[in-house]
């Protein structure tokens, strides 16, 4: 029964995937209730919903065959704080009358379960976010990105001139370390489709970058924060090895450019007075990214895995972080570890939820 | 350092020691002469001093160094840390010495190894919500390998494998500088300490996104509690809300501590290390950061790794730099002892003013370590040296016991000061010095009331040792010397008749009489207030009266039957090691007859006495004279001495208690050579306050008379109850 949705309600963002069937027969069309038509039309004819909902058109998967049906897969996101409005809209569009199951994952599936029931008359099917994440990753990688590779990496990450994005074949993916950077970070070691474990997590994630940027620069969107960061210079904010030792610290094999103390220069009042908001945004981005890289690297070493796949919405339009992760992993592991990325960054949980719906 | 200077220097200290020496008795009337001569001499010993103060006092400090720089051969001053660069010119100009900069991390590790090896109770774990927040660790003789996580402006993680082998295995840029720098930006608060202050008042849940903010509760499938932080600063992702400084500072503190703890655990796991010591200015004396780091390590290691801290963490770099400079003197070949009189203790709020006037701040702090004449090692007979804890009661833990003993020492203090003054009747300033001693020890006791953890685990032993150190500081090296001399003289006169009466008994009666004599002798203890009152008021109180005071069998702890059985049935012991207690009746009429019986059975005896004086305990040099006199009266003792079947050794200690993990190396060698198979520990200080639970590889006998009614009560007995604990190790 249509419609087919997968929902992932995270701490900051709600990710919604919607399968738009393109092979609807005339007969089906006849039977299709008005509500369903209007929902499909609303979703597919717009690229923005309300003031905050956005459809990532560039990610749309076209002519996908799913459960014997052909159609397009749409990727939509909106902030979690608009969840009540979303549920309200579902109620107004009489979603519950469609007798479909809404599969949801992420913490919000639990947090908003009651609201869905009381406000929208909808019983959610709650799914574990890590199960969904892995399912989603493996599926999307297997179908590819409209004829291109879903997975990619950066060649020569340590060389700014020669660094380039190249496709990566993830056909034999196991074992891999999956680092999901949302508001916080979860790190999973995946050994097979069914066999995985959560190795650790850190609270220093995308939410920390954005939260600190709001406090430090007064910015109000993630895009704005990233844009500021792209114009800043973090070396004014951070204390580098060379700031302490005048150059490399050879005793420990530390290069002069390495950050010795994040925000370390901000201990001095003069330096606090001389940095720009852009510098602060950049330093925040570098600090959070390096830290995630460092924890991921240690986990990879402890788990004896050399491929690390980074996903999550922190990486959306965030080339700075991706390149830095690729660079850091390569440099500090002396080329032993490879950082991989996926085009659909933060949508895998939602895709996984959709797949669960179809499996059931 | 960035804000504090830590100075380490070596000095020789001149102080008085009491020496005993046999008279030349040729042609003299022995009867009316004292047994031996006591002289007080000046002796020079070596001491290491460590002082910590704010950088603002650097000039005063340099003046101090200049005034005290007596060794004109000193051409170089070793310096480490960021300030080594900053103050280089000033130091060179003022002192006319060349500043030799040493690598920070090398110094840190050297210093760390030194304190781990030499200072008991150096290491502690932090415990939240407990009566005392610091839990001191027993010194593991194997200090390597360990992980040192130094949290300065950044974080360095170093693996230390041996004295000279260490490796930087990683680090993190998120450290103390991040807390300070980012904290200053967020809260407009400039000082590190003030930021910590703010943090301790804040609520991080207003700023952080918790698991329950995402899930509405716990994330049950993973067992993550709802209160865990899902995203640090995850709630501040808005431009239109104000957050309090306190809340932001708290959130920042959690973020950084958790991150460091997580990385430390990951490194510990990768390198298979169990011991992680934390240091650096982020940790230094700040309970707030110790708490958050401890929490983090506990969380990320699932309780498998313990976060450990060091009492003298702030000094490590200075100690290391000093050791680098003193390499030709090889300070590592000696054993060192913390001098409680000259050290201000952990988080001290009432430090002494010497040598510079303290105008403000609690950061002025001192540590003194005495170079011990001989190296100290473990008793080879300890069952498990790494878990051996000398002290029976931990007063840091036991608030009731702590209150009792602190009061007990306070009440006895006037008497001790009086006796100290009286012991030097010819000295003009004895009264004045005794008063200074009284004041100093009183202050120490008050500090310990406030901060029981100041010098490691507080124990009766540490209270006694602190008193001895304070007495020494004011030149009362041996207040009981005259009393001991007199009592030794009196007891020697009775030796012959005691032996005669013992010899008249049949074997079984004699064994009991010997044990009873040993116990009765032990009643003569000036360290116990109940007894010193009796001895003070009834100078004629004698051996027989003491016997009558003893508890009748069955004793409070009574394995006498097993002991008797052992003597009857088993082969003679190969060699017995006896730790003696008091001078006078105890050693001469209690211990020696017992020794004589052992010798007669064919058991060799090593008699161990303290190297230095403490209360009326018999010292090694006194024991030599006493033994010589007894040998003159008793052929068994005489031939045993001659044939080296009776050996006198020193313990290396000057404490009324006994730490079997720090004993004279010569003693340890002898114990091993002679294949010692019996350890006898006598007296309240050595067998009850310490070593009551000590386990040995061989048979052991612990004997004491409880001369303190509170302690007797605690152990379920009455005053003058008897402890006779004979133990055989299980196979």
């Amino acid at each position: 029964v249509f419609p087919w949705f997968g929902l992932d309600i995270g701490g900051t963002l709600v990710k919604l995937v919607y399968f738009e069937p393109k092979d609807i027969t005339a007969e089906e069309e006849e039977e299709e209730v008005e509500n369903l038509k209007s929902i499909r039309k609303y979703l597919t004819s717009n690229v923005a919903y309300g003031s905050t909902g956005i459809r990532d058109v560039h990610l749309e998967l076209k002519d996908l065959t799913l459960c014997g049906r052909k159609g397009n897969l749409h990727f939509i996101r909106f902030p979690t704080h608009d969840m009540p409005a979303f549920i309200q809209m579902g109620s107004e569009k009489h979603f519950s009358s469609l007798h479909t199951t809404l599969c949801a994952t992420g913490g919000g599936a639990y947090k908003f379960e009651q609201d869905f029931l009381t406000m929208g008359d909808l019983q959610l099917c709650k799914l574990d976010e890590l199960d969904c994440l892995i399912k989603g990753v493996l599926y999307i990688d297997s179908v590819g990105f409209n004829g291109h590779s879903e997975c990619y990496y950066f060649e020569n990450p340590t060389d700014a001139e020669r660094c380039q994005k190249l496709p990566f074949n993830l056909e034999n993916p196991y074992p891999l370390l999956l680092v999901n950077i949302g508001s916080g970070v979860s790190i999973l070691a995946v050994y097979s489709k069914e066999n995985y474990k959560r190795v650790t997590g850190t609270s220093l994630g995308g939410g920390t970058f954005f939260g600190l940027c709001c406090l430090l620069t007064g910015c109000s969107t993630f895009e704005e924060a990233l844009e500021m960061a792209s114009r800043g210079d973090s070396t004014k904010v951070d204390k580098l090895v060379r700031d302490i030792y005048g150059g490399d610290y050879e005793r420990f094999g530390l290069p002069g450019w390495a950050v010795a103390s994040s925000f370390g220069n901000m201990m001095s009042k003069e330096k606090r007075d001389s940095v720009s908001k852009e510098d602060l945004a950049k330093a925040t981005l570098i600090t959070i990214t390096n830290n995630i890289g460092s924890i991921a690297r240690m986990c990879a070493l402890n788990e004896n895995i050399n491929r690390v796949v980074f996903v999550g919405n922190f990486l959306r339009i965030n080339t700075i972080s991706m390149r830095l992760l690729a660079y850091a992993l390569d440099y500090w592991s002396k080329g032993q570890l490879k950082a991989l990325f996926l085009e659909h960054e933060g949508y895998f949980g939602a895709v996984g939820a959709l797949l669960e719906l179809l499996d059931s | 350092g960035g804000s504090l200077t830590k100075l380490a220097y070596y000095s020789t200290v001149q102080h008085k020691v009491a020496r005993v020496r046999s008279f030349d008795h040729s042609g003299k009337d022995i009867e009316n002469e004292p047994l031996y001569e006591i002289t007080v001499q000046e002796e020079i010993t070596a001491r290491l001093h460590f002082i910590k103060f704010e950088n603002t006092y650097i000039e005063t400090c340099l003046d101090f160094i200049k005034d005290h720089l007596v060794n004109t051969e000193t051409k170089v001053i070793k310096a480490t840390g960021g300030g080594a660069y900053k103050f280089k010119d000033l130091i060179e100009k003022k002192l006319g010495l060349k500043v030799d900069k040493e690598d920070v991390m090398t110094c840190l590790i050297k210093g760390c190894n030194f304190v781990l090896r030499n200072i008991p109770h150096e290491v502690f774990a932090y415990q939240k919500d407990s009566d005392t927040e610091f839990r001191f660790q027993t010194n593991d003789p194997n200090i390597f390998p360990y992980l040192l996580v130094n949290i300065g402006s950044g974080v360095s993680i170093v693996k230390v494998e041996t004295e000279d082998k260490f490796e930087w295995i990683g680090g993190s840029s998120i450290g103390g500088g991040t807390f300070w720098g980012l904290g200053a930006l967020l809260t407009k608060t400039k000082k590190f300490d003030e930021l910590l202050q703010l943090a301790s008042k804040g609520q991080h849940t207003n700023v952080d996104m918790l698991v329950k903010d995402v899930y509405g509760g716990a994330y049950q499938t993973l067992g993550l509690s709802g209160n865990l932080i899902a995203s640090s600063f995850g709630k501040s992702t808005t431009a239109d809300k104000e957050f309090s400084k306190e809340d932001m500072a708290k959130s920042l503190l959690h973020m950084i501590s958790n991150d460091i703890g997580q990385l430390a655990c990951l490194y510990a796991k990768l390198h298979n290390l169990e011991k992680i010591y934390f240091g650096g200015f982020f940790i230094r004396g700040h309970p707030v950061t110790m708490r958050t780091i401890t929490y983090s390590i506990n969380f990320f290691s699932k309780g498998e790794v313990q976060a450990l801290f060091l009492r003298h963490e702030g000094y490590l770099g200075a100690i290391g730099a000093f050791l680098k400079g003193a390499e030709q003197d090889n300070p590592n070949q000696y054993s060192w002892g913390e001098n409680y009189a000259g050290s201000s203790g952990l988080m001290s709020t009432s430090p002494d003013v010497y040598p510079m006037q303290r105008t403000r701040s609690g950061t002025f702090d001192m540590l003194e370590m005495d170079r011990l004449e001989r190296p100290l090692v473990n008793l080879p007979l300890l069952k498990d040296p790494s878990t051996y804890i000398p002290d029976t009661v931990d007063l840091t833990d036991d608030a009731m016991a702590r209150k009792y003993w602190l009061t007990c020492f306070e009440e006895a203090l006037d008497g001790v000061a009086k006796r100290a003054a009286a012991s030097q009747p010819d000295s003009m300033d004895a009264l004045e010095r005794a008063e200074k001693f009284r004041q100093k020890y009183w202050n120490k006791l008050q500090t310990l009331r406030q901060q029981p953890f100041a010098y490691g685990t507080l124990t009766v032993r540490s209270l006694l040792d602190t008193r001895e150190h304070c007495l020494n500081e004011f030149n009362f090296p041996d207040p009981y010397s005259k009393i001991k001399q007199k009592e030794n003289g009196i007891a020697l006169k009775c030796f012959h008749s005691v032996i005669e009466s013992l010899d008249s008994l049949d074997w079984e009666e004699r064994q009991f009489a010997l044990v009873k004599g040993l116990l009765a002798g032990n009643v003569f203890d000036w360290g116990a207030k109940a007894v010193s009152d009796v001895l003070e008021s009834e100078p004629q109180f004698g051996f027989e009266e003491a016997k009558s005071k003893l508890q009748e069998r069955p004793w409070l702890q009574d394995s006498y039957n097993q002991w008797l059985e052992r003597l009857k049935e088993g082969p003679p012991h190969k060699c017995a090691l006896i730790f003696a207690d008091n001078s006078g009746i105890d050693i001469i009429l209690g211990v020696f007859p017992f020794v004589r019986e052992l010798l007669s059975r064919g058991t060799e005896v090593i008699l161990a006495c303290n190297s230095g004086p403490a209360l009326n305990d018999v010292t090694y040099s006194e024991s030599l004279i006493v033994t010589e006199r007894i040998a003159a009266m008793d052929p068994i003792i005489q031939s045993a001495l001659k044939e080296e079947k009776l050996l006198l050794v020193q313990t290396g200690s000057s404490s009324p208690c006994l730490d079997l993990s720090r004993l004279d190396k010569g003693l340890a060698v002898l114990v091993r050579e002679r294949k010692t198979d019996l350890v006898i520990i006598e007296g309240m200080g050595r067998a009850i306050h310490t070593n009551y639970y000590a386990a040995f590889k061989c048979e052991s006998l612990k004997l004491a008379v409880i001369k303190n009614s509170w302690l007797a009560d605690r152990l379920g007995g009455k005053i003058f109850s008897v402890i006779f604990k004979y133990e055989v190790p299980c196979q």
Side-chain angles (χ1 to χ4, degrees):
Chain A
V1 200
F2 290 116
W4 292 350
F5 281 113
L7 192 59
D8 176 5
I9 313 167
T12 312
L13 281 178
V14 181
K15 282 77 67 176
L16 178 71
V17 295
Y18 168 64
F19 183 76
E20 174 205 0
K22 294 296 249 183
D23 54 356
I24 295 174
T25 58
E27 199 179 320
E28 276 177 325
E29 181 119 29
E30 190 98 340
E31 280 176 19
E32 204 173 38
V33 292
E34 208 45 46
N35 286 341
L36 185 57
K37 269 191 198 119
S38 96
I39 288 172
R40 186 170 71 225
K41 188 146 180 280
Y42 174 68
L43 289 175
T44 55
S45 60
N46 292 308
V47 292
Y49 314 94
S51 58
T52 55
I54 284 170
R55 181 152 64 89
D56 283 314
V57 184
H58 67 286
L59 292 180
E60 185 177 329
L61 293 178
K62 292 192 178 8
D63 297 326
L64 200 63
T65 307
L66 199 55
C67 255
R69 303 299 302 251
K70 253 186 155 30
N72 298 337
L73 196 57
H74 297 276
F75 298 87
I76 298 162
R77 61 184 152 90
F78 60 88
T80 304
H81 60 73
D82 288 335
M83 251 337 262
F86 176 77
I87 298 171
Q88 188 62 38
M89 188 181 72
S91 161
E92 280 159 14
K93 292 195 184 292
H94 302 288
F95 198 86
S96 62
S97 69
L98 299 173
H99 303 292
T100 180
T101 313
L102 189 52
C103 279
T105 185
Y110 296 81
K111 190 179 174 184
F112 296 103
E113 184 184 18
Q114 200 56 38
D115 293 344
F116 270 100
L117 203 58
T118 52
M119 288 166 64
D121 192 26
L122 263 175
Q123 175 73 53
L124 285 188
C125 168
K126 304 194 297 288
L127 299 164
D128 181 75
E129 60 173 298
L130 302 182
D131 290 341
C132 289
L133 174 68
I134 289 170
K135 217 168 170 156
V137 165
L138 297 174
Y139 174 76
I140 297 288
D141 182 69
S142 71
V143 299
F145 184 20
N146 298 327
H148 301 286
S149 173
E150 169 71 14
C151 184
Y152 61 94
Y153 71 104
F154 291 93
E155 198 180 50
N156 305 315
T158 50
D159 184 339
E161 302 275 295
R162 288 163 57 224
C163 176
Q164 56 172 331
K165 181 178 162 182
L166 288 176
F168 186 85
N169 184 348
L170 202 61
E171 232 172 316
N172 300 307
Y174 312 112
L176 68 82
L177 199 73
L178 186 58
V179 182
N180 185 32
I181 318 174
S183 317
V185 181
S186 271
I187 301 181
L188 318 176
V190 188
Y191 301 101
S192 75
K193 208 167 175 176
E194 264 81 43
N195 181 14
Y196 77 88
K197 66 172 181 187
R198 184 179 186 270
V199 180
T200 188
T202 164
S203 69
L204 286 82
T208 315
F209 161 66
F210 183 30
L212 280 174
C213 273
C214 289
L215 293 172
L216 293 171
T217 70
C219 69
S220 53
T221 66
F222 180 70
E223 289 77 3
E224 200 187 332
L226 276 181
E227 198 277 325
M228 283 176 112
S230 70
R231 286 184 283 121
D233 177 2
S234 61
T235 64
K236 291 188 177 147
V237 180
D238 294 339
K239 202 181 272 268
L240 307 186
V241 167
R242 64 163 180 257
D243 296 333
I244 302 175
Y245 296 101
D248 298 348
Y249 186 30
E250 276 154 25
R251 182 88 176 73
F252 290 164
L254 285 174
W257 53 260
V259 184
S261 172
S262 296
F263 287 84
N265 280 340
M266 298 297 92
M267 289 188 277
S268 120
K269 184 169 185 317
E270 299 85 73
K271 289 189 173 153
R272 279 202 296 277
D273 292 341
S274 70
V275 294
S276 68
K277 289 183 171 182
E278 287 76 10
D279 297 337
L280 293 172
K282 180 69 173 282
T284 311
L285 188 62
I286 299 292
T287 302
I288 300 298
T289 306
N290 268 333
N291 190 59
I292 294 169
S294 171
I295 291 172
R297 184 174 60 89
M298 288 308 296
C299 290
L301 290 174
N302 271 324
E303 301 301 321
N304 205 12
I305 296 176
N306 53 29
R307 278 182 306 191
V308 185
V309 180
F310 292 94
V311 295
N313 268 321
F314 173 65
L315 300 175
R316 194 174 63 81
I317 58 165
N318 187 357
T319 325
I320 299 176
S321 289
M322 286 193 281
R323 282 199 180 196
L324 184 54
L325 285 170
Y327 180 102
L329 238 55
D330 185 88
Y331 181 87
W332 295 108
S333 75
K334 300 188 171 72
Q336 294 302 298
L337 297 177
K338 197 173 202 76
L340 303 173
F341 304 92
L342 298 173
E343 299 284 0
H344 286 82
E345 289 135 3
Y347 282 109
F348 300 106
V351 171
L354 172 68
L355 295 172
E356 287 284 349
L357 167 75
L358 302 179
D359 277 359
S360 64
Chain B
S3 56
L4 297 176
T5 302
K6 281 80 72 172
L7 174 71
Y9 65 97
Y10 169 91
S11 78
T12 47
V13 190
Q14 200 167 23
H15 60 104
K16 292 194 162 54
V17 287
R19 292 240 184 273
V20 295
R21 174 169 91 198
S22 272
F23 281 121
D24 178 12
H25 280 290
S26 52
K28 280 189 184 164
D29 174 14
I30 300 172
E31 278 299 300
N32 297 314
E33 282 278 330
L35 181 62
Y36 48 79
E37 188 184 10
I38 303 165
T39 56
V40 172
Q41 298 169 353
E42 292 283 339
E43 192 187 64
I44 290 173
T45 54
R47 187 176 284 178
L48 269 174
H49 308 251
F50 305 97
I51 307 182
K52 184 160 76 182
F53 52 87
E54 288 182 13
N55 286 352
T56 19
Y57 301 106
I58 185 101
E59 298 225 23
T60 326
C61 164
L62 294 176
D63 290 335
F64 169 80
I65 297 177
K66 208 175 164 193
D67 293 346
H68 290 77
L69 204 60
V70 287
N71 181 358
T72 49
E73 280 164 33
T74 305
K75 295 270 187 293
V76 163
I77 184 163
K78 293 276 180 188
T80 185
Y85 297 81
K86 199 165 145 193
F87 295 116
K88 183 174 184 280
D89 293 342
L90 180 71
I91 299 170
E92 291 191 335
K93 205 178 102 207
K94 271 231 170 195
L95 301 181
L97 296 175
K98 190 175 160 292
V99 172
D100 216 355
K101 290 194 295 283
E102 288 291 340
D103 176 66
V104 181
M105 200 50 72
T106 310
C107 291
L108 213 56
I109 307 281
K110 258 196 176 315
C112 193
N113 293 340
F114 183 81
V115 297
L116 287 177
R117 203 175 298 107
N118 285 291
I119 308 187
H121 295 151
E122 176 61 27
V123 179
F124 64 91
Y126 185 87
Q127 331 185 87
K128 189 182 136 189
D129 302 331
S130 117
D131 180 37
T132 45
E133 298 151 308
F134 306 105
R135 175 153 294 274
F136 294 95
Q137 312 289 302
T138 51
N139 279 38
D140 188 339
N142 307 311
I143 62 173
F144 305 110
Y146 64 86
L147 204 60
L148 181 67
V149 179
N150 194 57
I151 315 175
S153 50
V155 181
S156 287
I157 301 176
V158 182
K159 176 165 101 171
V160 186
E161 282 172 295
T162 65
E163 184 61 46
D164 300 304
K165 193 178 170 209
F166 68 87
E167 185 192 354
W168 184 89
I169 55 169
S172 169
S173 67
I174 301 186
T178 315
F179 179 70
W180 194 344
L182 196 46
L185 289 167
L186 291 171
T187 67
K188 314 276 178 258
T189 303
K190 288 172 198 145
K191 285 199 167 168
F192 180 73
D193 289 16
E194 286 166 14
L195 275 166
L196 280 180
Q197 276 279 313
L198 281 181
S200 56
K201 286 181 281 181
Q203 268 298 334
H204 75 103
T205 52
N206 294 332
V207 184
D208 290 342
M209 182 187 285
L210 309 186
V211 166
K212 68 178 172 204
D213 294 320
V214 184
Y215 272 79
Y219 181 0
Q220 268 156 359
T221 22
L222 288 182
L224 299 179
S225 139
N227 290 319
L228 278 182
I229 304 171
S231 173
S232 295
F233 288 89
K235 278 186 190 152
S236 69
T237 52
T238 162
D240 27 71
K241 215 176 133 194
E242 288 281 319
F243 295 90
S244 85
K245 291 178 177 186
E246 288 82 0
D247 294 350
M248 288 188 289
K250 180 64 170 276
S251 178
L252 188 60
L253 175 66
H254 275 303
M255 175 181 110
I256 290 167
S257 301
N258 283 338
D259 193 55
I260 295 169
Q262 178 172 27
L263 279 167
C265 284
L266 286 166
Y267 279 102
K269 189 178 169 198
L270 188 64
H271 292 266
N272 209 5
L273 297 169
E274 281 165 14
K275 282 180 277 194
I276 311 185
Y277 301 114
F278 285 88
F281 81 74
F282 185 69
I283 295 295
R284 201 154 301 156
H286 301 298
V288 193
T289 55
M290 287 193 246
R291 184 175 353 183
T292 52
I293 288 283
T294 300
Y295 169 85
S296 170
I297 290 289
N298 204 23
F299 175 78
F300 284 108
S301 78
K302 299 183 175 71
E304 277 173 24
V305 177
Q306 202 173 26
L308 297 171
F309 305 95
L310 302 168
R311 267 203 292 149
H312 300 101
E313 187 277 320
Y315 289 115
L316 301 186
I319 295 175
F322 173 81
L323 293 174
K324 282 287 270 183
E327 256 160 8
Q328 75 257 36
D329 298 327
N330 197 6
N332 269 330
Q333 74 183 343
Y334 299 100
S335 286
W336 300 80
E338 180 176 9
N339 188 312
Y340 295 130
S343 303
S344 36
L346 192 63
M347 305 225 271
S348 162
T349 49
S350 55
D352 305 288
V353 288
Y354 175 85
M356 281 162 279
Q357 283 295 322
R358 189 171 75 89
T359 52
R360 62 183 187 93
S361 105
T363 51
F364 188 95
D365 189 281
M366 317 205 305
L367 163 66
E368 288 187 1
M369 297 190 66
D370 292 321
R371 192 176 82 191
L372 307 175
E373 291 313 306
R374 304 155 67 97
L376 303 181
V377 295
N378 271 309
L379 179 66
L381 298 172
L382 280 177
K383 194 171 175 200
D384 180 8
S386 62
T387 57
Y388 167 73
I389 301 170
D391 306 285
T392 307
V393 181
D394 179 344
L395 302 180
T396 1
D397 242 12
D398 188 335
M400 288 263 289
R402 179 168 73 238
K403 275 186 199 123
Y404 170 77
W405 284 109
L406 285 169
T407 307
C408 185
F409 277 87
E410 277 172 13
E411 284 173 354
L413 181 53
D414 282 347
V416 176
K418 230 178 253 168
R419 176 147 304 284
S423 73
Q424 297 177 359
D426 305 331
S427 163
M428 299 282 284
D429 63 348
L431 268 175
E432 193 185 321
R433 280 185 288 117
E435 173 54 22
K436 280 185 182 157
F437 151 75
R438 199 192 62 78
Q439 197 59 48
K440 177 138 197 172
Y441 189 56
W442 178 264
N443 289 344
K444 290 272 172 198
L445 291 173
Q446 301 322 305
T447 303
L448 288 167
R449 264 194 201 277
Q450 301 305 315
Q451 290 141 320
F453 47 77
Y455 297 93
T457 302
L458 183 66
T459 60
V460 175
R461 174 167 64 106
S462 71
L463 287 168
L464 284 163
D465 288 354
T466 307
R467 189 166 74 185
E468 295 299 326
H469 293 172
C470 290
L471 279 166
N472 277 326
E473 166 147 335
F474 294 102
N475 270 324
F476 294 109
D478 192 359
Y480 290 85
S481 56
K482 293 249 166 57
I483 291 174
K484 289 188 285 182
Q485 180 193 43
K486 192 171 136 222
E487 289 182 352
N488 283 332
I490 293 168
L492 276 174
K493 289 189 180 124
C494 307
F495 181 78
H496 193 68
S497 68
V498 167
I499 291 295
E500 252 183 359
S501 92
L502 282 168
D503 282 350
S504 71
L505 300 171
D506 70 32
W507 184 84
E508 196 157 327
E509 280 175 337
R510 189 166 71 243
Q511 300 315 310
F512 187 62
L514 282 166
V515 166
K516 221 173 152 188
L518 198 52
L519 292 164
N522 197 245
V523 170
F524 294 83
D525 183 351
W526 286 85
K529 197 163 181 301
V531 178
S532 66
D533 290 348
V534 174
L535 295 178
E536 202 91 57
S537 56
E538 296 173 52
Q540 295 314 307
F541 183 83
F543 197 39
E544 292 308 314
E545 284 96 325
K547 278 187 198 166
S548 71
K549 287 237 178 210
L550 291 180
Q551 180 192 18
E552 289 294 322
R553 285 194 70 196
W555 294 320
L556 186 53
Q557 268 282 334
D558 193 340
S559 38
Y560 177 72
N561 290 347
Q562 287 91 310
W563 169 246
L564 189 68
E565 200 64 16
R566 167 67 183 84
L567 292 181
K568 238 192 249 173
E569 307 293 331
H573 295 92
K574 170 79 187 56
C575 173
L577 167 67
I578 304 183
F579 291 97
D581 187 6
N582 304 307
S583 268
I585 290 175
D586 194 357
I587 179 87
I588 294 163
L589 305 182
V591 175
F592 262 99
F594 196 86
V595 168
R596 184 174 172 273
E597 182 76 14
L598 284 171
L599 291 166
S600 314
R601 276 171 64 82
T603 302
E604 293 174 3
V605 175
I606 302 171
L607 183 61
C609 300
N610 267 4
S611 302
L615 292 166
N616 65 325
D617 291 6
V618 60
T619 63
Y620 171 66
S621 46
E622 286 157 3
S623 77
L624 291 177
I625 296 170
V626 165
T627 310
E628 187 194 327
R629 287 310 153 83
I630 292 174
M633 290 185 270
D634 188 292
I636 296 177
I637 300 289
Q638 184 159 47
S639 67
L641 270 181
K642 213 163 149 192
E643 292 161 28
E644 295 190 339
K645 289 192 168 146
L646 171 60
L647 300 143
L648 303 178
V649 292
Q650 51 183 317
T651 59
S653 161
S654 307
S655 165
C657 294
L658 181 62
D659 177 355
L660 295 172
S661 66
R662 284 168 70 84
L663 285 176
D664 191 277
K665 199 172 177 181
L667 185 156
V669 169
L670 201 57
V671 158
R672 223 181 256 124
E673 269 176 18
R674 297 290 166 124
K675 301 194 168 51
T676 306
D677 54 357
L678 174 66
V679 177
I680 301 175
I681 307 177
E682 180 219 3
M684 202 158 75
R686 291 173 183 78
I688 298 182
H689 290 319
T690 53
N691 301 309
Y692 192 65
Y693 300 116
F696 298 93
K697 286 181 196 157
C698 63
E699 291 171 49
S700 64
L701 192 53
K702 297 164 190 169
L703 312 103
V705 179
I706 306 174
K707 291 150 286 189
N708 171 296
S709 49
W710 183 88
L711 184 64
D713 195 47
R714 259 250 166 151
L715 296 170
K718 290 199 175 74
I719 191 153
F720 297 118
S721 286
V722 168
I723 298 292
F724 187 96
K725 211 175 172 189
Y726 168 63
E727 289 163 306
V728 182
C730 37
Q731 290 310 307

